[in-house]
Amino acid sequence: LGALWVRERDTNAELRLELAQIQAADDATATEIEELSNQITALELRNDQLAREKAELEPLVADVPPGRLSVIDIPFDPVFVDEVRGQFLAVAASGDYVVWAGGVESQITDFGTVAGSPTGMFAARDQAFIASDAGQVEVVSLIGGEDATPIPTGALVGMVQDNRQFWGFEPDSGELRRHRSTNGRLTTSVALPTAVTELSVGAGAVWALGTDGMVYRINTADFTLTPISAGQDLVAITAGPDALWTLSAADGSLRRVDAVSGEVLVTVPVGRDPIDAEFSGNSVWVALRSGSALIEVDTRTSAVVSRTSLPAEPISVSSGETGVLVTLDAEDPLVRVASD
């Protein structure tokens, strides 16, 4: 009987241990279920918030008339595009470029290839300046004739024009460099604490979007460097004559930033999945992946004033003299939305 009692006692202990393990597993499962329930509730609240924002915007935002949007026919997918004095320029990742007038392929006036892969570009007056990882900037004539001699600069990234000079970030040295457009002479270099993904110029400064999420203001009068925090998960910056605008993917907002103090003055909800922004005329144009749309924000009122439905998902936006140019992930990769 003693041996039987011992075996029964051991069996009871094992059963109690197994029961405790089952209860612990049940508790863990209940905790996981509660966490998932909380996540579902948070997502439902977010969907409700987005639905309210959409309902508020839709009555106020008119779709841009179809006549303002036109497809530009070019022979490749561009990584950089620009327009100046009725001439257009597009550059492919291969280094191929094409110059044309009037926005149609049949009026191509020049084409060629730059050395290396292009890393930046801008057009000014009758020339285009194309930087590449070959360590030079090639100067292409937009009106025919001979191209100018390439300018040795290093592999500049994110070129912007500043009067008769241009700026670009040189990754190897970590410097923001300014060169004269006429002769390519290096006139200024400013060391930055991080790499740069985008540059913009305006409001008395060159603005650099750092890979650390900060915006760096370089005063073009005395070249002082000021870091600015202007939103989370910034994907684009664009400067106007009196302010900087930053685009945040974290909350789908465009922010107006005081050019002197760095203070965020206005926050404008623009929509989900923003990818790029460009100042043009009196507006900032924001490209959204969500819904394949182009949103126009009036800089005088900080109000959303129009929405353009794009034929495909946008990749980037650039400013032209007759409107904004939008590159698309599509068979026809370039469209123009004309200004009013």
Side-chain angles (χ1 to χ4, degrees):
L1 289 176
L4 180 60
W5 178 78
V6 170
R7 284 197 300 273
E8 288 180 349
R9 187 176 63 178
D10 291 343
T11 301
N12 289 338
E14 292 173 356
L15 290 174
R16 283 195 295 271
L17 178 60
E18 185 176 350
L19 179 61
Q21 293 173 339
I22 292 172
Q23 289 175 338
D26 288 344
D27 292 342
T29 301
T31 300
E32 291 178 2
I33 292 173
E34 184 179 359
E35 291 176 352
L36 289 173
S37 177
N38 291 337
Q39 292 177 17
I40 291 171
T41 300
L43 288 173
E44 289 175 343
L45 291 173
R46 177 58 176 161
N47 285 336
D48 290 343
Q49 178 185 356
L50 292 173
R52 288 194 298 271
E53 291 176 359
K54 181 179 179 182
E56 291 172 358
L57 287 174
E58 282 182 340
L60 302 175
V61 181
D63 227 19
V64 167
R68 285 182 62 186
L69 188 147
S70 58
V71 174
I72 298 178
D73 189 10
I74 60 174
F76 50 67
D77 293 341
V79 291
F80 299 109
V81 292
D82 207 344
E83 175 195 6
V84 60
R85 294 188 177 184
Q87 295 292 114
F88 294 80
L89 174 72
V91 183
S94 63
D96 293 338
Y97 67 84
V98 60
V99 179
W100 74 99
V104 293
E105 185 181 5
S106 60
Q107 294 178 323
I108 287 178
T109 58
D110 190 18
F111 59 87
T113 303
V114 300
S117 298
T119 55
M121 184 195 79
F122 72 91
R125 295 180 177 271
D126 54 3
Q127 293 178 315
F129 295 75
I130 308 171
S132 76
D133 59 8
Q136 63 185 25
V137 170
E138 299 199 26
V139 185
V140 176
S141 173
L142 298 177
I143 58 174
E146 293 294 325
D147 295 337
T149 303
I151 302 170
T153 58
L156 298 184
V157 175
M159 294 175 65
V160 290
Q161 180 190 9
D162 179 21
N163 294 321
R164 294 182 178 274
Q165 306 190 74
F166 63 86
W167 293 82
F169 177 72
E170 208 289 307
D172 289 341
S173 65
E175 293 177 339
L176 188 64
R177 296 178 174 178
R178 186 176 70 169
H179 293 260
R180 290 195 184 279
S181 302
T182 52
N183 56 20
R185 186 170 71 87
L186 177 66
T187 58
T188 305
S189 60
V190 179
L192 297 182
T194 182
V196 168
T197 60
E198 186 175 1
L199 295 176
S200 188
V201 63
V206 174
W207 307 84
L209 177 56
T211 54
D212 59 358
M214 298 291 290
V215 177
Y216 294 90
R217 180 184 189 273
I218 299 90
N219 188 310
T220 53
D222 58 13
F223 309 113
T224 53
L225 178 69
T226 305
I228 296 172
S229 178
Q232 298 297 314
D233 194 12
L234 297 184
V235 292
I237 59 173
T238 185
D242 57 1
L244 173 74
W245 297 81
T246 65
L247 183 62
S248 169
D251 58 4
S253 68
L254 182 70
R255 288 173 167 83
R256 181 188 179 103
V257 180
D258 186 271
V260 178
S261 68
E263 179 186 359
V264 175
L265 302 176
V266 179
T267 299
V268 184
V270 291
R272 289 182 297 162
D273 296 330
I275 59 160
D276 200 9
E278 184 72 15
F279 184 94
S280 180
N282 292 312
S283 300
V284 175
W285 300 78
V286 178
L288 306 178
R289 283 199 186 99
S290 177
S292 298
L294 185 69
I295 304 298
E296 180 186 7
V297 177
D298 190 318
T299 58
R300 295 162 296 189
T301 62
S302 299
V304 176
V305 293
S306 74
R307 178 184 183 277
T308 304
S309 296
L310 300 171
E313 187 176 287
I315 297 174
S316 65
V317 185
S318 59
S319 176
E321 292 185 350
T322 60
V324 289
L325 304 170
V326 186
T327 59
L328 306 174
D329 184 11
E331 183 177 351
D332 295 318
L334 184 60
V335 297
R336 175 178 54 190
V337 177
S339 302
D340 285 334

